[in-house]
Amino acid sequence: MPDPAPLPERPPAPPLPGRAIIRQRWSDFLFLHWRVDPELVAPFLPAGTRPDVFDGSAWVGLIPFVLGRHQFLPLPPVPGLGTFIEINVRTYSIDGAGNRGVVFRSLEAQHLPPVLAARALFGLPYEWADAALTVDGDELEYRSRRHRLASGAAHPLVDRPTTRIRARVSASPVDTPLSRFLTDRWGFHERHLGRTIHARNAHEPWPLVDATLMSLDDQLLEAAGLPGLAGRAPDSVLATPIGRGVVTEFAAARRVS
């Protein structure tokens, strides 16, 4: 069987539509993704968007990483508050203008001030959580347990949901149509103050590598309205090399017609 044709050169992120207002460094990613029916995620999407699909399926991600050097430009990073673990549950969207994005179901974060700021500025469903990362050679283990303060209400079936994700990161580069679809999103859609917004970001190309999921004990997916996924193996497991990351900038959000 002949080798598949090489992909076109990976295009850079489109330029931001305006000046950057937030800068962050993202590192030590794990990308766990499950293939799902688009009808499962459609009710979670903001008005004016629809599920973005690959190979006929929508995709749900459980994504832990380290967010570092968070700053509101032109101010410098705040020492002690600008670096923390984030773990998000997300799916993917496209609007009528063709803008592709991420739709977050939840975002766990270690520090309360960024949680409150992101909720106020963008309406993002951040939750304050106690989180930790352990690095052992080529293995990463993320752990998290949610506090109650950010949302003020417990999930009816999952009180203070937890997650524990352990994976081995390889040195084998990955660049496929699916890996590009799942990671080259360049923005997010959200419903905020009665309107749908699209906030764009830009960063250098992802240094994606293959990874092996060793164990998963997760309640975040169920708490996000996606029961059953954590009980089956992900359909895609990717990572970034341990210690490596990308510097990301966000522009101000714009309204989706």
Side-chain angles (χ1 to χ4, degrees):
M1 185 174 179
D3 293 334
L7 293 175
E9 184 177 353
R10 196 167 193 168
L16 293 177
R19 69 177 183 88
I21 61 170
I22 294 174
R23 180 179 294 138
Q24 302 169 340
R25 183 180 185 270
W26 297 343
S27 63
D28 296 310
F29 267 83
L30 294 175
F31 296 94
L32 312 183
H33 281 96
W34 288 262
R35 180 193 296 267
V36 300
D37 190 309
E39 292 184 1
L40 178 67
V41 302
F44 301 139
L45 304 189
T49 70
R50 65 184 188 275
D52 198 5
V53 300
F54 181 91
D55 194 24
S57 296
W59 294 77
V60 169
L62 177 63
I63 320 289
F65 65 102
V66 177
L67 191 157
R69 298 203 298 266
H70 177 83
Q71 61 186 119
F72 293 99
L73 299 173
L75 300 175
V78 179
L81 289 180
T83 299
F84 52 91
I85 292 168
E86 180 177 308
I87 305 175
N88 64 64
V89 175
R90 71 194 205 185
T91 189
Y92 302 109
S93 54
I94 185 168
D95 62 30
N99 296 308
R100 288 182 154 84
V102 173
V103 173
F104 295 104
R105 292 295 296 147
S106 64
L107 305 98
E108 316 297 298
Q110 276 181 289
H111 292 320
L112 185 58
V115 167
L116 299 178
R119 281 177 168 266
L121 287 174
F122 299 114
L124 290 171
Y126 266 95
E127 302 284 356
W128 186 31
D130 182 16
L133 166 63
T134 300
V135 181
D136 183 8
D138 60 354
E139 295 180 11
L140 298 177
E141 183 177 273
Y142 282 95
R143 301 178 302 282
S144 175
R145 181 176 178 85
R146 186 179 297 175
H147 299 297
R148 289 197 182 96
L149 180 60
S151 63
H155 184 271
L157 299 178
V158 185
D159 183 27
R160 297 185 62 196
T162 65
T163 194
R164 187 167 185 165
I165 309 163
R166 185 165 165 251
R168 178 177 293 120
V169 178
S170 82
S172 302
V174 174
D175 185 17
T176 67
L178 177 59
S179 71
R180 293 186 181 190
F181 172 86
L182 295 173
T183 62
D184 291 354
R185 304 307 301 180
W186 314 127
F188 66 82
H189 288 106
E190 185 56 69
R191 190 73 175 170
H192 184 45
L193 300 177
R195 62 181 185 174
T196 298
I197 59 171
H198 183 250
R200 281 277 319 283
N201 66 18
H203 56 75
E204 60 265 42
W206 287 109
L208 294 175
V209 294
D210 194 19
T212 302
L213 181 64
M214 303 178 69
S215 63
L216 175 63
D217 183 5
D218 177 75
Q219 297 175 325
L220 296 179
L221 290 163
E222 181 176 354
L226 298 158
L229 291 187
R232 64 178 173 91
D235 296 287
S236 172
V237 182
L238 301 170
T240 54
I242 294 174
R244 287 189 60 187
V246 297
V247 175
T248 305
E249 293 185 339
F250 284 86
R254 297 192 172 192
R255 185 173 183 173
V256 173
S257 299

